Amino acid sequence: MELNGKQKRYLRSLAVNIRPIVQIGKGGLTNEILTSIRKAADARELIKVNILQNSDESRDNVADAIEEMGLDVVQIIGRNIVVFKVADKKENRKISVDVKNLLK
């Protein structure tokens, strides 16, 4: 889903209050971490990914890998990346309903 500026601002305002769910450490960006990012984003729709200080991964490489999976990178601040994905299950769709309403 391509997000416009108004939608990104709304998602950024929601992301202020959430804590990072996935952390990338010195093991780097593995398939297991990418899978956990996808599962967490599908369950919650809006998540934060934190790149720890001891990680060799750059934030741009991580953001590119996340976008290749079909997820939307909303914001990158320091070593935190805010990620959005519309949930596959309808019962998990809470934020995406509000985001779609911002198009009108």
Side-chain angles (χ1 to χ4, degrees):
M1 176 179 180
E2 188 64 33
L3 300 171
N4 64 23
K6 193 173 193 180
Q7 292 169 323
K8 285 185 179 183
R9 279 194 306 274
Y10 174 71
L11 291 172
R12 286 195 303 256
S13 70
L14 293 178
V16 169
N17 298 322
I18 62 174
R19 299 182 63 75
I21 294 180
V22 179
Q23 295 181 338
I24 300 171
K26 68 179 179 180
L29 193 62
T30 62
N31 287 334
E32 290 83 17
I33 291 179
L34 290 173
T35 302
S36 65
I37 291 171
R38 179 184 298 263
K39 285 182 181 178
D42 192 40
R44 299 176 183 233
E45 291 191 316
L46 187 67
I47 64 168
K48 273 188 189 175
V49 177
N50 186 352
I51 304 169
L52 299 176
Q53 293 291 337
N54 62 354
S55 178
D56 292 334
E57 296 290 336
S58 73
R59 64 187 194 171
D60 295 327
N61 289 343
V62 173
D64 290 341
I66 290 171
E67 285 181 339
E68 285 176 9
M69 292 191 308
L71 307 176
D72 292 315
V73 173
V74 176
Q75 183 179 32
I76 301 174
I77 293 184
R79 300 180 75 81
N80 290 320
I81 301 171
V82 179
V83 179
F84 174 74
K85 177 188 183 292
V86 177
D88 292 334
K89 296 181 181 177
K90 285 192 175 190
E91 60 267 12
N92 291 342
R93 292 183 190 161
K94 297 177 182 90
I95 299 172
S96 61
V97 173
D98 295 335
V99 170
K100 286 182 182 176
N101 288 337
L102 290 174
L103 280 176
K104 298 176 182 177

